[in-house]
Amino acid sequence: MKKIYITNIPLQGRGQLLKFLYEPCDFEIKNNRETSFPIIPVIASQHEKGDEVKILAIRSNHSETPDNYAVFLRELNLLGICEEQIREINMTENQNSEENLKLLLAVLEEIPEEALVYGDITYGTKPMAAILLYVMGFAEKMKSCEVNGIYYGEIRRSDNKPTCAILYDLTVLKLLEDLIDEMKGMGISKMREAINRLIGL
């Protein structure tokens, strides 16, 4: 099975990239562990013998990202994932429309046909997170892929000190988008009422 994991490399400065045990919210995760990258326990949970694994790491040319990328490589190595399985995708700090489109198309180009796709939108700028969300939607339409997980890691704080870390699975929002597309194609006009009945609101 081809499995693609996509994440942004964080922009935190040297010494600011902390490790947490991300507790999953409303879902279970096997093989959880302390990490600086919420995608790491996702990979550990989903990885099965015989999988064809590819990691797409989007890295801004911000001055701090080389150190953070090196930490990411070390954590992947502990999972048995070697550097040959990792594709680093570089982007400029200039996030104008042209650069955003280039990044989106570059990430799409690296996703093979009929793969299972997992994305982590925790790190990076807001445009980078938005690009990742669009990539996963386009991959299903253009490459017959299946989005199996969209994740966000939140670090909660009290008095400006971290207290805990939570991992959210946002895949249900992508499934809702797919459902709305299907209902539109079927000519269902009262979509909100149909959604309310389906999800029990």
Side-chain angles (χ1 to χ4, degrees):
M1 179 66 69
K2 289 182 284 189
K3 292 181 179 176
I4 309 301
Y5 301 92
I6 314 172
T7 191
N8 294 311
I9 299 302
L11 307 175
Q12 275 86 338
R14 189 183 296 251
Q16 295 177 11
L17 190 60
L18 304 177
K19 275 192 169 187
F20 296 94
L21 181 68
Y22 284 85
E23 296 292 346
C25 179
D26 296 330
F27 71 106
E28 293 184 2
I29 197 161
K30 302 179 297 182
N31 303 317
N32 205 355
R33 64 202 57 214
E34 282 196 344
T35 181
S36 298
F37 305 88
I39 197 68
I40 291 289
V42 172
I43 298 169
S45 177
Q46 299 296 331
H47 187 50
E48 297 175 353
K49 188 176 180 179
D51 283 346
E52 181 184 328
V53 174
K54 186 177 185 180
I55 313 292
L56 303 182
I58 302 168
R59 187 173 76 76
S60 163
N61 62 6
H62 187 277
S63 61
E64 306 296 346
T65 58
D67 288 342
N68 295 336
Y69 182 63
V71 175
F72 185 52
L73 293 181
R74 287 197 295 272
E75 291 207 27
L76 287 171
N77 187 256
L78 292 173
L79 296 179
I81 294 173
C82 60
E83 204 161 346
E84 289 74 27
Q85 295 170 274
I86 305 159
R87 174 72 169 95
E88 182 184 1
I89 300 174
N90 293 300
M91 62 170 290
T92 68
E93 287 191 80
N94 183 356
Q95 295 182 84
N96 60 30
S97 296
E98 181 180 354
E99 292 301 320
N100 287 338
L101 284 170
K102 282 182 184 177
L103 176 60
L104 188 150
L105 294 172
V107 178
L108 269 176
E109 183 67 25
E110 293 293 334
I111 299 174
E113 294 282 344
E114 300 180 352
L116 296 180
V117 181
Y118 303 82
D120 170 21
I121 63 169
T122 303
Y123 291 125
T125 62
K126 287 182 173 64
M128 289 168 72
I131 288 165
L132 257 187
L133 290 172
Y134 279 111
V135 160
M136 288 183 277
F138 294 160
E140 284 194 335
K141 294 179 174 70
M142 296 170 64
K143 297 201 169 185
S144 301
C145 292
E146 183 179 341
V147 173
N148 252 27
I150 303 171
Y151 301 93
Y152 174 75
E154 175 195 15
I155 299 171
R156 290 192 176 172
R157 290 177 168 82
S158 178
D159 296 326
N160 210 28
K161 294 180 181 177
T163 57
C164 65
I166 301 172
L167 185 61
Y168 297 99
D169 184 347
L170 308 178
T171 319
V172 66
L173 303 178
K174 174 70 176 62
L175 296 175
L176 180 58
E177 179 188 25
D178 295 341
L179 177 62
I180 289 171
D181 286 344
E182 284 185 29
M183 289 193 292
K184 184 174 182 180
M186 295 167 62
I188 296 174
S189 57
K190 296 184 178 180
M191 285 192 253
R192 178 58 188 266
E193 290 87 341
I195 292 168
N196 286 350
R197 286 197 299 273
L198 283 169
I199 64 178
L201 290 180

